Amino acid sequence: MTSSTPRSDVISSTARRRAIVAGSVGNFIEWYEFGIYGFLATILAAQFFSDGQQTGIESLIATYASFAIAFFFRPVGAALFGRIGDRIGRKPTLILVLVMMSGATALIGILPTYASIGVAAPILLTIVRILQGLSAGGEFGGAVSVMTEFAPAGKRGFYGSWQSFTVALGLLGGAGTVALLASLLSEADLAAWGWRIAFLLAIPLGAVALFLRLRLEETPEFQKVATADTTKVAEPVVRAGAAETAKAILLGIGRLMGWSAAGYTFLVVMPSYLQSSLNASFQEALISTVLANAGFAATILPAGWLSDKIGRRWVMLTGTGLIVILALPLLNVLQNPDLGVGVHGLAVFVAGAVVGLIAGPGPAMLAEMFPTSVRYTGLGLSYSISNAVFSGSAGLIITSLIASTGNVDVPAYYVMATCLVSAIAIGTLRGNAHRAELRK
């Protein structure tokens, strides 16, 4: 590959594979951590947010508030690291956010609890969650930029879908880790110290991810922009204006909000909802979550591939439409104890699968909205703001509304409303946008 003006047709297959793997591995760690935090929410509530006076629902709400705070720092991280990534390159920025993210996750595993240091415990946990939010905000834009900028013609949807697929793998990894710990340890030991193991596993995971990212090449699209800036003789580079970029970010948020809300409601919040509202056991809730994430993983890559054939719009509209139609019936199935474990398992599997129809084409759809010079920033801000508002707050909103209204159908209404808005925004996509080259 030439060093000055790299061309997509001479990118080696090895470089493309490294782009997928190195881009994906950080997402795996990010969503592994957010997964275990959600799956262990009831334990963390007792360890960090309870002085023995609050009810279980009150401490759980406080836990989700800390969860939401991390998400609201994601846009800050997206703006900060996105700017760096669009200036100095995707590779060094992704290495920086990986080290920060893995370190913050491991820190949770050694934090003292409320019983040890009192009110300082939830404060320290919240500070660490803020660091995680900052670093996670810089992950998505860089990872998707790497995957889509290395993708060969006609395969951006499939390449970008690996980001979403590793989200599913991360959540499954988190659920599997917690399930394994729950099976090996007594409930008392898991609550006392076993939960720490799940967070400390970020150390070896981060070491592997760092090795892979150090071997990553800079993307050809970024190198073209850097060459143009340096020599002033390469092909012209688009410099998007602030107003145009802001408009694209707002549109991107609208297109993603249903994915954000439904994804976190079905894939992360569900365990605590099943336990607190439907009296399910910890093991039953985890099994349901594993099945939901398995359904999610099953449709992501096929949806990304299909979007390269027929377009992002129709695949994503199918996903949002199915969620609007099926959310309440699927939740009602879970609420009916007479239907049996098999039917309940099928319901959560289907719930995850329809979210995958949005998540598969989603990364490529976003990448196609921004020129190279602001792609890292635009991708990151669209995704992180959407997640901050509609994912990070999902547990807090749902738990609070159920507590105040007593209506256990709140999760279904929440995802239905957000997916309806997303469907309108997705409908503005051009049908042939997937066939055009990425904007320079």
Side-chain angles (χ1 to χ4, degrees):
M1 184 169 60
T2 60
S3 60
S4 55
T5 57
R7 292 167 50 86
S8 60
D9 57 348
V10 294
I11 300 172
S12 69
S13 58
T14 299
R16 296 190 197 278
R17 286 194 298 269
R18 285 179 179 172
I20 291 178
V21 174
S24 300
V25 70
N27 292 300
F28 176 88
I29 295 174
E30 173 192 347
W31 290 92
Y32 165 84
E33 187 282 329
F34 277 101
I36 58 176
Y37 191 96
F39 303 145
L40 294 169
T42 52
I43 291 176
L44 295 175
Q47 292 291 337
F48 288 93
F49 294 95
S50 178
D51 59 3
Q53 303 300 314
Q54 301 103 323
T55 64
I57 194 71
E58 287 173 339
S59 57
L60 186 59
I61 288 172
T63 305
Y64 277 128
S66 176
F67 196 63
I69 285 173
F71 271 94
F72 278 97
F73 273 87
R74 280 186 169 209
V76 180
L80 172 63
F81 292 113
R83 188 68 172 165
I84 295 172
D86 284 328
R87 287 293 185 91
I88 70 171
R90 288 40 169 143
K91 176 180 176 177
T93 311
L94 282 173
I95 289 173
L96 176 61
V97 299
L98 172 67
V99 172
M100 186 174 173
M101 182 167 54
S102 301
T105 299
L107 274 177
I108 294 180
I110 62 174
L111 286 179
T113 63
Y114 200 105
S116 301
I117 60 172
V119 72
I123 293 174
L124 286 175
L125 178 61
T126 301
I127 291 172
V128 174
R129 295 290 298 158
I130 288 172
L131 292 176
Q132 286 178 311
L134 289 171
S135 57
E139 173 66 28
F140 179 85
V144 175
S145 294
V146 164
M147 293 175 184
T148 55
E149 289 175 0
F150 267 109
K155 293 187 177 180
R156 281 198 302 270
F158 179 70
Y159 269 56
S161 66
W162 280 92
Q163 187 280 335
S164 297
F165 184 65
T166 48
V167 168
L169 293 184
L171 292 172
L172 281 170
T177 299
V178 174
L180 180 61
L181 290 172
S183 66
L184 295 176
L185 303 173
S186 66
E187 287 189 18
D189 285 342
L190 180 64
W193 55 267
W195 60 270
R196 296 183 182 276
I197 297 173
F199 290 97
L200 291 173
L201 285 174
I203 295 175
L205 288 174
V208 173
L210 180 61
F211 170 76
L212 292 170
R213 286 202 167 164
L214 287 171
R215 303 179 68 209
L216 178 68
E217 298 177 22
E218 189 52 83
T219 74
E221 298 298 325
F222 179 81
Q223 289 186 54
K224 291 177 184 177
V225 172
T227 300
D229 286 342
T230 302
T231 66
K232 308 300 182 184
V233 297
E235 60 185 275
V237 174
V238 174
R239 295 298 177 189
E244 179 189 355
T245 301
K247 180 180 178 181
I249 289 171
L250 288 174
L251 183 57
I253 293 169
R255 290 172 176 173
L256 292 184
M257 61 186 288
W259 170 15
S260 299
Y264 247 78
T265 299
F266 291 152
L267 307 177
V268 177
V269 174
M270 193 58 70
S272 296
Y273 166 80
L274 292 172
Q275 292 175 77
S276 62
S277 299
L278 302 183
N279 299 315
S281 69
F282 185 69
Q283 287 78 8
E284 289 171 339
L286 273 176
I287 291 171
S288 295
T289 305
V290 169
L291 288 172
N293 279 280
F296 182 54
T299 58
I300 290 171
L301 295 179
W305 173 85
L306 184 61
S307 76
D308 285 327
K309 306 300 180 183
I310 67 172
R312 323 290 181 218
R313 181 173 61 187
W314 291 114
V315 179
M316 297 181 73
L317 281 176
T318 299
T320 52
L322 285 173
I323 290 172
V324 171
I325 295 169
L326 296 176
L328 188 57
L330 288 173
L331 187 62
N332 292 158
V333 167
L334 293 178
Q335 293 165 345
N336 188 339
D338 298 329
L339 291 179
V341 175
V343 177
H344 287 176
L346 179 61
V348 293
F349 184 90
V350 171
V354 292
V355 178
L357 295 178
I358 314 172
M365 179 274 296
L366 274 182
E368 290 158 359
M369 293 176 65
F370 301 94
T372 303
S373 60
V374 296
R375 183 169 296 124
Y376 197 137
T377 305
L379 280 167
L381 282 173
S382 298
Y383 185 75
S384 61
I385 294 174
S386 177
N387 275 274
V389 177
F390 302 104
S391 290
S393 300
L396 184 60
I397 292 170
I398 291 169
T399 308
S400 299
L401 286 176
I402 291 175
S404 62
T405 67
N407 189 338
V408 293
D409 290 336
V410 165
Y413 296 136
Y414 178 64
V415 299
M416 289 165 67
T418 52
C419 281
L420 184 60
V421 176
S422 268
I424 296 171
I426 291 168
T428 65
L429 274 169
R430 290 185 295 111
N432 63 347
H434 63 292
R435 301 189 188 281
E437 290 188 5
L438 283 174
R439 296 172 62 190
K440 306 301 181 186

